[in-house]
């Protein structure tokens, strides 16, 4: 084992998943390439490395690190380089220069103990001060935890979470009980905790280990499959496979977990289901609150409602069907109503009618699960709509909803669209924020893909007739003229779509293999559809949706090809590499997680905070030196991303069908080239097709399309919301 000391001089490569990095270190003998799993290192850090020398066949002599010690930089230039390396959110080279100019050699001490003094630095306000202080402290404090955890293959990002939860007690608590990580730290799975435990000498057949594995099997079911519970036999089988343990022992320990209420057992139709306490409580709370919302509203007399509906029909020159009229009447008369239906059934028109029926004096709130869904709702209803997270003011120091049962919404009626996307936690949070007497209208399409998070909320609610509901099946006159709408319903019924007709808006282009299909998709986007549709800005009008991420026609490779076609490298275009993601000025990108603190500004003046999952925009500027990226979104908001924020961006030339939920595009192209049968479902095809407003083009093999239409085998989601609704309704 050899010892190497020096100063970091740039990170050449980094894998954020496992922390493996290639770093340049300046030593007395010259610049050395160091490899190994390590925390994110800033430029200018003094490091002591233990390891051994190796000879790479391509890159030559390298130092393979096994242990790392970090010292603070001492000189002004080293401190400036250290702060400006891009790893502290809110600090680039120019900001680092200003900070060091203000505080000199005391800079790091002040950042650690008196961060409020950052307000003395030009261009740093309170929001940015807090951001920088938190980033610096997190960077410093997580180092010791990382060094302890790195021997167990724990990533730097996960090490930071662990340190945030346990602080200085991290090592002691983990040594005492490594399995506590599963319950305490989101992102720590059983396998990671088990690897640590085994290294610490905990035996394979320890009851402690086996019980942790049982609970993890339930958690994995929720995260990967969306289940809120599992049949006891299935849980035992999953846990036994995970733990390589006898089923009899797993069954015995499961009974013990139930006895001490670490898990819960519920019997439904002679089948035993096991639930985690948090998931069970969430479904029970939803059921209780939904049932409490039922009941007739005293706001209007039935005759007044009918009169206002007729007035709306006359003003809009439309005639509702009996079912559509019933939907508005039910929503106006009841404290809770669910309206569900496919495309073209008039859900948006009914929302507008309900707004008119309730009248201008009613405090009506419109909301949707995603930013793009909220934007669509706002445009269609010509009034403000927000994401549910924004409505409930998610954030604060603890990252919770500020609007809740103790601080409820001030509204008479809340109308929520795209309810199929809501998981049990979001639904519970919404219901907790409603005052008694608030009318709730839930609107959605039960045939869309279910929520990413656990639960089967919309379908479980619709399964109970005790919940006032109206199912729309008739297609509005406008929808009958669109083959997109007609074919969406045909697909949902298990019938092949009608394609390639004269004046059609739904086409199929046959290609015998994936490579030819990918070639055709590129040409369709680049040349053919723009000419056909008479458009010049094809990137804004045409959206490719893929059923899969991998493969020639998967999201990843199609994004690479479309980026090269639409936005090739040029000398005048700046680029920035973030992991495997290459960003270039002019790229079409999507924001992939809600960020309520990200600041934005409008071209004409004005600013605010919050960019949301599903927002699509274009990169307008990249500063390689500052390692910042500026994105302008569809609503003309521009937001600046520091290097550490780039994990919230992804290329958007091609999106997964799941990521497209809640969005709508003028034209949609979908490859039909095969893939895992579990992904190529009728449900997914239906969801993709219904994202298009004017044109759908399917490219690939006819037999794949036929298979998807015929594949109605959805992955079953185990949930108990419907059970709790029925049980509470009966007063059991």
């Amino acid at each position: 084992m050899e010892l190497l000391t020096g100063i970091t001089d740039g990170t050449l490569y980094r894998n954020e998943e496992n922390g493996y990095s290639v770093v340049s270190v300046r030593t007395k003998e010259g610049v050395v390439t160091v490899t190994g799993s390590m925390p994110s290192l800033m430029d200018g850090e003094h490091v002591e490395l233990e390891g051994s020398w190796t000879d790479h066949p391509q890159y030559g002599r390298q130092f393979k690190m096994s242990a790392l010690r970090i010292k603070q930089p001492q000189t002004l230039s080293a401190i400036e380089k250290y702060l400006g390396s891009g790893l502290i959110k809110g600090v680039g080279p120019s900001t680092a220069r200003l900070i060091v100019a203000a505080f000199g050699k005391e800079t790091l001490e002040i950042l650690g103990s008196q961060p409020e003094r950052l307000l003395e630095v030009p261009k740093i306000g309170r929001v940015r001060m807090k951001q920088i202080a938190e980033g610096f402290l997190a960077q410093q404090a997580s180092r010791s935890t990382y060094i302890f955890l790195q021997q167990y293959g724990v990533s730097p990002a996960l090490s930071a979470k662990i340190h945030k939860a346990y602080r200085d007690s991290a090592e002691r608590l983990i040594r005492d009980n490594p399995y506590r990580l599963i319950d305490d730290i989101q992102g720590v799975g059983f396998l990671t905790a088990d690897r640590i435990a085994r290294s610490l000498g905990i035996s394979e057949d320890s009851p402690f280990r086996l019980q942790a594995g049982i609970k993890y099997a339930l958690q994995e079911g929720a995260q990967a499959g969306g289940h809120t519970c599992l049949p006891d036999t299935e849980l035992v089988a999953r846990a036994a496979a995970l733990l390589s343990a006898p089923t009899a022992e797993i069954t015995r320990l499961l009974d013990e977990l139930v006895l001490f209420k670490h898990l819960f057992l519920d019997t439904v139709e002679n089948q035993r289901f096991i639930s985690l306490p948090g998931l069970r409580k969430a479904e029970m709370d939803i059921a209780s609150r939904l049932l409490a919302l039922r009941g007739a509203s005293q706001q209007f007399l039935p005759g007044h409602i009918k009169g206002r509906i007729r007035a709306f029909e006359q003003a809009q020159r439309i005639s509702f069907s009996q079912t559509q009229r019933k939907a508005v009447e039910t929503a106006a008369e009841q404290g809770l109503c669910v309206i569900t239906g496919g495309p073209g059934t008039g859900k948006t028109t009914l929302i507008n009618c309900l707004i008119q029926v309730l009248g201008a004096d009613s405090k009506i709130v419109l909301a949707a699960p995603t930013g793009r869904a909220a934007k669509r709702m706002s445009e269609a209803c010509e009034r403000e709509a927000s994401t549910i997270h924004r409505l409930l003011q998610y954030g604060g120091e603890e990252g919770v909803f500020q609007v809740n049962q103790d601080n409820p919404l001030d509204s008479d009626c809340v109308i929520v669209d795209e309810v199929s996307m809501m998981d049990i936690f979001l639904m519970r949070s919404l219901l907790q924020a409603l005052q008694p007497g608030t009318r709730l209208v839930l609107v959605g399409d039960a045939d869309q893909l279910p929520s990413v998070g656990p639960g089967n909320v919309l379908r479980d609610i619709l399964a109970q007739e005790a919940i006032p509901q109206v199912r729309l099946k008739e297609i509005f006159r406008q929808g009958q003229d669109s083959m997109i709408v007609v074919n969406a319903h045909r697909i949902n019924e298990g019938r092949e779509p009608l394609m390639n007709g004269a004046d059609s808006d739904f086409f199929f282009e046959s290609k015998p293999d994936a490579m030819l299909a990918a070639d055709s998709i590129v040409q369709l986007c680049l040349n053919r559809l723009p000419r056909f549709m008479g458009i010049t800005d094809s990137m804004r009008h045409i959206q490719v949706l893929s059923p899969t991420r991998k493969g020639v026609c998967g999201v990843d490779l199609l994004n690479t090809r479309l980026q090269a076609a639409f936005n090739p490298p040029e000398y005048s275009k700046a680029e920035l590499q973030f992991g495997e993601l290459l960003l270039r000025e002019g790229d079409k990108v999507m924001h992939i997680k809600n960020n309520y603190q990200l600041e934005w500004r409008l071209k004409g003046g004005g600013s605010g905070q919050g960019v949301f999952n599903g927002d699509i925009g274009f990169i307008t500027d990249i500063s390689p030196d500052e390692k910042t990226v500026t994105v302008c979104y569809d609503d003309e908001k521009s937001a600046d991303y520091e290097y550490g924020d780039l994990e919230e961006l992804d290329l958007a030339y091609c999106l997964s069908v799941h990521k497209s939920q809640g969005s709508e595009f003028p034209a949609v192209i979908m490859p039909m080239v095969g893939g895992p049968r579990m992904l190529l479902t009728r449900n997914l095809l239906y969801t993709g097709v219904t994202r298009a407003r004017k044109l759908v083009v399917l490219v690939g093999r006819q037999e794949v399309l036929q298979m998807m239409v015929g594949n109605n085998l959805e992955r079953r989601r185990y949930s108990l919301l419907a059970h709790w609704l029925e049980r509470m309704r009966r007063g059991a």
Side-chain angles (χ1 to χ4, degrees):
M1 194 69 65
E2 296 190 50
L3 182 66
L4 184 72
T5 62
I7 299 172
T8 56
D9 195 37
T11 299
L12 307 176
Y13 170 81
R14 180 166 179 81
N15 185 328
E16 292 295 341
E17 292 298 316
N18 56 21
Y20 179 83
S21 304
V22 181
V23 179
S24 289
V25 177
R26 191 172 299 276
T27 69
K28 292 180 179 180
E29 290 75 28
V31 177
V32 173
T33 300
V34 177
T35 66
S37 180
M38 62 188 78
S40 299
L41 294 174
M42 299 183 181
D43 296 351
E45 293 203 83
H46 290 243
V47 292
E48 291 184 356
L49 306 158
E50 291 182 10
S52 57
W53 291 99
T54 61
D55 287 311
H56 193 279
Q58 182 175 354
Y59 301 112
R61 195 165 186 248
Q62 298 179 337
F63 190 81
K64 187 177 181 181
M65 184 209 77
S66 58
L68 166 70
R69 289 178 292 278
I70 304 168
K71 298 180 178 180
Q72 297 279 33
Q74 301 298 317
T75 66
L76 292 180
S77 61
I79 295 172
E80 184 179 314
K81 190 173 184 180
Y82 171 77
L83 290 179
S85 62
L87 292 177
I88 297 176
K89 192 173 181 179
V91 181
S94 62
T95 303
R97 199 174 303 118
L98 292 172
I99 295 173
V100 174
F103 304 128
K105 290 187 176 182
E106 296 180 356
T107 294
L108 300 181
E109 182 181 344
I110 288 171
L111 286 176
S113 61
Q114 298 175 280
E116 66 277 2
R117 290 191 60 188
L118 284 169
L119 296 174
E120 301 171 16
V121 180
K123 300 181 180 181
I124 295 181
R126 290 195 173 277
V127 172
R128 199 175 184 194
M129 178 271 289
K130 184 178 180 182
Q131 185 184 64
I132 293 171
E134 289 177 347
F136 178 78
L137 291 175
Q139 188 77 14
Q140 296 297 302
S142 66
R143 297 294 177 83
S144 60
T145 303
Y146 171 82
I147 292 170
F148 166 66
L149 291 172
Q150 71 175 348
Q151 58 189 307
Y152 307 114
V154 178
S155 72
L158 206 51
S159 295
K161 283 187 180 181
I162 293 170
H163 186 275
K164 184 177 180 180
Y166 299 151
R167 301 296 179 183
D168 296 338
S169 303
E171 185 171 348
R172 176 180 60 79
L173 292 173
I174 293 169
R175 288 187 181 278
D176 289 345
N177 176 14
Y179 294 105
R180 68 181 298 148
L181 291 167
I182 302 170
D183 294 327
D184 296 346
I185 311 296
Q186 185 178 2
V188 175
F190 175 80
L191 297 179
T192 298
D194 198 44
R195 184 168 62 249
I196 297 172
R198 301 297 299 278
S199 299
L200 294 173
I202 295 175
S203 66
E204 190 175 57
D205 60 353
S206 164
F208 198 52
R209 174 180 181 264
L210 299 182
Q211 288 187 335
I214 294 169
K215 290 192 286 185
Y216 177 70
L218 273 176
Q219 293 170 342
E220 183 66 15
Q223 294 169 3
H227 308 296
T228 62
C229 59
L230 285 175
D232 60 343
T233 52
E234 183 169 336
L235 175 58
V236 168
R238 289 188 180 206
L242 173 71
L243 299 163
S244 302
T247 56
E249 181 67 2
I250 296 296
T251 302
R252 184 185 71 81
L253 290 170
L254 175 58
D255 291 341
E256 190 174 298
L257 287 167
V258 170
L259 177 65
F260 289 100
K261 298 188 182 305
H262 296 298
L263 302 176
F264 284 86
L265 168 67
D266 296 289
T267 302
V268 182
E269 297 178 351
N270 298 318
Q271 190 169 13
R272 292 157 50 97
F273 291 94
I274 307 296
S275 307
L276 289 161
L279 295 175
R280 183 177 187 263
K281 188 176 186 302
E283 288 193 314
M284 292 176 70
D285 196 21
I286 291 170
S288 173
R289 292 176 183 275
L290 285 173
L291 292 172
L293 289 172
R294 298 180 306 165
S297 169
Q298 303 301 314
Q299 187 174 354
F300 305 106
L301 296 173
H304 292 167
I305 295 172
K306 288 181 169 58
R308 293 187 180 188
I309 293 174
R310 284 195 299 271
F312 180 86
E313 289 177 291
Q314 292 170 2
Q316 298 295 319
R317 298 181 179 179
I318 59 175
S319 179
F320 284 143
S321 69
Q322 184 177 350
T323 306
Q324 290 161 342
R325 195 171 292 112
K326 178 188 175 185
V328 181
E329 291 174 357
T330 304
E333 292 172 356
Q334 302 291 324
L336 170 66
C337 179
V338 184
I339 301 173
T340 182
T345 55
K347 296 190 297 295
T348 300
T349 304
L350 297 183
I351 292 174
N352 280 322
C353 181
L354 178 61
I355 292 171
Q356 294 300 312
V357 168
L358 296 179
D361 295 334
S362 295
K363 296 178 182 177
I364 302 172
V365 172
L366 306 183
T370 67
R372 289 189 70 83
K375 183 180 178 182
R376 285 176 54 206
M377 193 180 190
S378 182
E379 292 170 348
C381 299
E382 297 183 346
R383 60 190 294 155
E384 184 181 359
S386 70
T387 65
I388 298 171
H389 283 80
R390 176 172 285 282
L391 178 67
L392 304 183
Q393 297 178 25
Y394 179 84
E397 294 293 330
E398 304 300 323
V400 297
F401 291 110
Q402 306 301 309
V403 178
N404 49 44
Q405 57 193 7
D406 298 321
N407 179 35
L409 281 170
D410 181 19
S411 62
D412 299 317
C413 177
V414 177
I415 304 173
V416 184
D417 200 7
E418 298 284 0
V419 177
S420 63
M421 301 177 68
M422 295 181 69
D423 63 25
I424 59 169
F425 298 119
L426 189 58
M427 177 59 76
R428 179 178 63 174
S429 296
L430 174 65
L431 294 173
Q432 287 175 335
L434 301 183
Q435 299 186 68
T438 302
R439 178 184 284 104
L440 177 64
V441 182
L442 302 175
V443 184
D445 184 352
D447 295 313
Q448 298 280 350
L449 291 169
S451 61
V452 175
N456 225 355
V457 175
L458 181 57
R459 292 188 182 185
D460 279 353
I461 293 173
L462 292 171
Q464 291 300 312
E465 295 182 358
I467 302 297
Q469 56 188 263
V470 181
R471 297 174 182 262
L472 305 172
K473 296 182 180 179
E474 302 95 337
I475 302 175
F476 260 159
R477 183 177 68 251
Q478 298 93 323
Q480 294 172 350
D481 299 330
S482 168
M483 291 309 299
I484 297 174
V485 173
V486 171
N487 282 333
H489 287 271
R490 288 180 65 89
I491 291 167
N492 204 29
E493 295 163 1
R495 297 188 291 161
E496 285 189 47
L498 304 173
M499 301 173 293
N500 301 349
D503 301 320
S504 179
D505 54 9
F506 203 109
F507 297 91
F508 186 91
E509 182 166 284
S510 180
K511 295 295 175 182
D513 60 52
M515 186 60 72
L516 290 174
D519 293 342
S520 181
I521 288 169
V522 173
Q523 290 304 312
L524 281 164
C525 293
L526 202 60
N527 300 310
R528 295 166 57 196
L529 286 192
R531 289 198 302 267
F532 179 78
M533 299 177 69
I535 58 175
T536 56
D537 193 355
S538 55
M539 280 197 291
R540 295 184 184 274
H541 288 80
I542 302 169
Q543 184 61 57
V544 181
L545 303 179
S546 179
T548 64
R549 289 207 66 89
K550 304 301 180 184
V552 175
C553 287
V555 171
D556 295 339
L557 287 180
L558 278 178
N559 261 324
T560 300
R561 288 201 60 180
L562 290 167
Q563 182 189 42
F566 276 106
N567 192 31
E570 295 179 8
Y571 180 77
S572 59
K573 292 180 182 177
E575 297 181 353
L576 188 61
Q577 189 81 41
F578 181 77
E580 296 182 0
L581 178 66
L582 174 64
L583 298 174
R584 184 176 295 132
E585 288 178 351
D587 273 338
K588 181 180 181 181
V589 293
M590 173 182 273
H591 190 95
I592 58 175
K593 60 175 68 173
N594 291 329
N595 185 332
Y596 298 90
Q597 282 74 48
L598 185 61
E599 297 179 352
W600 50 261
R601 59 194 176 277
L602 297 173
K603 285 184 177 179
S607 61
Q609 290 180 302
V611 182
F612 306 105
N613 183 19
D615 286 350
I616 293 177
F618 291 85
I619 295 177
T620 57
D621 183 69
I622 292 177
S623 174
D625 293 336
E626 296 280 348
K627 292 188 177 180
T628 60
V629 173
T630 301
V631 179
C632 183
Y633 288 97
D634 292 345
D635 50 5
E636 302 301 312
K637 296 187 303 190
S638 288
D640 296 329
Y641 292 77
E642 302 288 341
Y643 190 75
D645 298 324
L646 296 182
E647 63 180 8
E648 299 178 4
L649 291 178
D650 202 358
L651 293 176
Y653 300 97
C654 178
L655 302 175
S656 70
V657 176
H658 286 82
K659 278 291 183 185
S660 74
Q661 282 186 271
S663 300
E664 191 175 70
F665 311 97
V668 165
I669 303 172
M670 288 184 68
M672 300 278 110
V673 297
R677 182 175 173 81
M678 61 182 293
L679 294 178
L680 303 182
T681 64
R682 179 191 303 174
N683 186 221
L684 185 137
L685 176 62
Y686 172 82
T687 301
V689 165
T690 56
R691 299 308 91 201
R693 193 164 61 245
K694 296 180 179 180
L695 185 67
V696 169
V697 183
L698 308 179
V699 183
R701 304 197 312 272
Q702 189 80 30
E703 59 266 30
V704 174
L705 172 61
Q706 293 169 345
M707 186 269 286
M708 290 185 75
V709 171
N711 184 12
N712 200 31
L713 299 174
E714 299 179 41
R715 294 180 67 184
R716 180 178 177 183
R717 282 198 172 187
Y718 295 108
S719 60
L720 293 178
L721 176 57
H723 162 72
W724 292 119
L725 282 167
E726 176 61 19
R727 183 169 170 177
M728 292 180 185
R729 183 189 68 82
R730 292 188 282 105

